[in-house]
Amino acid sequence: MASSLISALTVTTPGPDTPTRPVTDSERRGLLDAVSLVPDPRNPRGIRYPLAALLTVAVCAVLAGASSFTAITDWLYDLDEPAQARLGFTRGIPAGTTVWRLLTRLDDALVSAVLAGWLRARAQPAPERPHRYRTVIAVDGKTLRGARLAEGRQVHLLSALDTSTGIVLAQVTVDTKSNEIPAFTPLLNAVEKILGDLAGVLFVADALHTQTDHARQITARGAHLLLQAKGNQPTLFAQLKAVPWAQIPVGDRTRDRGHGRKETRTVKAVTVHIPGGIAFPHAQQAVRITRTRTVDGKTSRETAYLITSLPAAHAQPADLQKWARAEWLIENQVHNVRDVTFREDQHQARTGTGPAIMATLRNTAIGWHRINGATNIARANRRADRRSNDLIQAVTSIYPNTQ
């Protein structure tokens, strides 16, 4: 794109936003009640331990730091009888194999949806939101390196994080013979089911999900996208690089210092007024983010090109700066915590849906601690383990109070 086309570019002005529907008091429920929605795959005859009780103790144990099916059973055995009874175990407690065999037979996507809905209902009402508030959902995948399926393949999961609450709204298992791209549609469906409506929601993801079909699906539901352009979309990438960025003023600049490094991030955003517009469905603005980082006296520079379906009136450069950084929250606040705190990559679950179920339980634990104000999940796990009776009271109560 030649520099003479600078007249075909327009920069951003402010605009309104609408928050998603809040959860009503009548939708709040205790965990035992919530997980009763999960169907029991066992033959009804001879059931001794209710599925709701087994799922509830699994959630509580992982909230207290359990990182495997064996650790979940150990945590249950360490409870006194009144605590076990409050969790639904009134006829003794199951053997570890019973817990493991049942949990690995459950529908992992359904369990994820039920627990995400429960967490969202239990989150404290948000304080008054700024005028330009927008729900931002970060999408990213993660391979469970220690888990293997029967044919030896690793398990890969695609997740969607509500960056404002820290709750993983949905998680789906990627087909072993495919990749994340076909898994995006069921993930989007699951998020829509949890939120009830995607109007005004912004999805952020890495360049793998800069797919025309993804864009059409997102915008058809009234939602928006902010996606990075790389080599997988060569025409789009070339068009964004050809914008005369040198003639466009900086829209936003931030400077960070910490951990021995200095980083400056500058954002430029323009609307392209040329025949056909940006070479991507529903793209309204072209965005360039430049990161300049200095570590130990050495300076590096990285440039990222993005597109968004939000018009300039609804997305200022400062907004785009914040939303682009939100993409990393799912990696830093969820996936890294599952690896470091819960040692997920060392867990060698191999049976049925076991790997995905354990990942869902870890997501739930992280989300619970986040909505209760915790920033250090390992510390929150230890606190929950020390105060198991308070934890059980909190999760089984119908009120959204902390443990």
Side-chain angles (χ1 to χ4, degrees):
M1 183 181 298
S3 60
S4 60
L5 292 179
I6 188 65
S7 59
L9 307 175
T10 310
V11 191
T12 308
T13 56
D17 275 319
T18 303
T20 55
R21 178 185 66 84
V23 176
T24 63
D25 289 340
S26 63
E27 293 173 307
R28 294 193 171 96
R29 56 176 67 185
L31 182 56
L32 277 165
D33 185 24
V35 297
S36 65
L37 298 174
V38 179
D40 195 326
R42 298 172 292 182
N43 189 316
R45 297 182 61 185
I47 290 180
R48 183 174 183 180
Y49 307 108
L51 173 60
L54 290 166
L55 262 177
T56 298
V57 76
V59 171
C60 289
V62 178
L63 279 167
S67 58
S68 66
F69 293 117
T70 301
I72 289 171
T73 308
D74 289 345
W75 190 84
L76 173 60
Y77 272 73
D78 288 341
L79 297 176
D80 56 31
E81 288 189 8
Q84 292 170 353
R86 284 165 61 190
L87 288 171
F89 295 99
T90 57
R91 302 173 57 192
I93 53 178
T97 51
T98 300
V99 176
W100 163 68
R101 285 172 181 163
L102 179 55
L103 293 182
T104 58
R105 293 175 62 190
L106 300 179
D107 182 332
D108 58 290
L110 178 58
V111 172
S112 176
V114 167
L115 291 177
W118 171 72
L119 276 179
R120 185 169 178 270
R122 298 303 296 266
Q124 296 286 354
E128 185 176 353
R129 286 164 169 165
H131 177 65
R132 295 182 55 74
Y133 174 82
R134 186 178 293 278
T135 298
V136 179
I137 307 297
V139 175
D140 193 26
K142 182 181 187 298
T143 298
L144 309 185
R145 301 187 184 282
R148 301 279 178 176
L149 298 177
E151 63 271 24
R153 293 176 180 269
Q154 290 182 315
V155 177
H156 192 82
L157 304 172
L158 185 65
S159 306
L161 172 73
D162 183 342
T163 60
S164 64
T165 62
I167 296 173
V168 174
L169 298 176
Q171 177 179 275
V172 297
T173 302
V174 176
D175 190 285
T176 56
K177 297 181 180 180
S178 184
N179 55 37
E180 291 181 16
I181 296 174
F184 185 81
T185 298
L187 184 77
L188 193 63
N189 292 337
V191 172
E192 185 173 33
K193 186 174 181 180
I194 293 294
L195 296 183
D197 184 8
L198 295 182
V201 174
L202 178 69
F203 285 85
V204 295
D206 60 24
L208 177 64
H209 294 283
T210 307
Q211 305 290 330
T212 58
D213 184 59
H214 291 7
R216 293 189 179 100
Q217 289 191 59
I218 290 171
T219 54
R221 303 173 199 229
H224 295 280
L225 55 88
L226 177 63
L227 301 172
Q228 189 170 350
K230 287 187 176 179
N232 62 325
Q233 293 287 341
T235 302
L236 172 63
F237 184 60
Q239 184 183 26
L240 295 182
K241 285 189 68 175
V243 170
W245 294 107
Q247 301 178 46
I248 298 169
V250 172
D252 185 67
R253 178 181 282 113
T254 61
R255 292 183 174 87
D256 295 321
R257 181 190 298 265
H259 304 288
R261 70 170 185 263
K262 295 187 295 183
E263 184 175 272
T264 301
R265 298 168 59 93
T266 60
V267 178
K268 296 181 177 183
V270 294
T271 301
V272 181
H273 301 289
I274 58 174
I278 301 172
F280 195 80
H282 305 284
Q284 296 286 324
Q285 292 190 81
V287 183
R288 189 186 79 169
I289 299 178
T290 304
R291 307 177 186 93
T292 304
R293 178 178 297 183
T294 302
V295 181
D296 297 330
K298 297 181 179 179
T299 299
S300 61
R301 179 171 173 154
E302 177 185 349
T303 300
Y305 299 97
L306 305 92
I307 49 93
T308 180
S309 61
L310 283 164
H314 290 220
Q316 294 182 313
D319 300 323
L320 297 167
Q321 173 97 271
K322 178 178 64 176
W323 297 334
R325 300 191 76 170
E327 180 199 331
W328 292 97
L329 292 180
I330 190 170
E331 175 66 31
N332 296 336
Q333 296 188 4
V334 179
H335 294 167
N336 185 62
V337 174
R338 278 165 38 187
D339 281 340
V340 175
T341 302
F342 291 99
R343 302 186 298 279
E344 181 170 77
D345 280 351
Q346 298 177 34
H347 187 216
Q348 298 182 355
R350 296 172 181 265
T351 305
T353 59
I357 291 291
M358 282 302 304
T360 293
L361 294 173
R362 295 174 188 122
N363 290 340
T364 304
I366 295 167
W368 171 269
H369 292 316
R370 296 282 186 212
I371 66 176
N372 283 304
T375 55
N376 186 316
I377 303 301
R379 182 182 297 126
N381 287 347
R382 293 191 294 269
R383 181 174 181 268
D385 191 35
R386 292 193 305 268
R387 301 174 59 180
S388 56
N389 286 323
D390 291 343
L391 171 64
I392 294 169
Q393 174 63 29
V395 301
T396 57
S397 167
I398 63 172
Y399 302 104
N401 55 339
T402 62
Q403 80 273 15

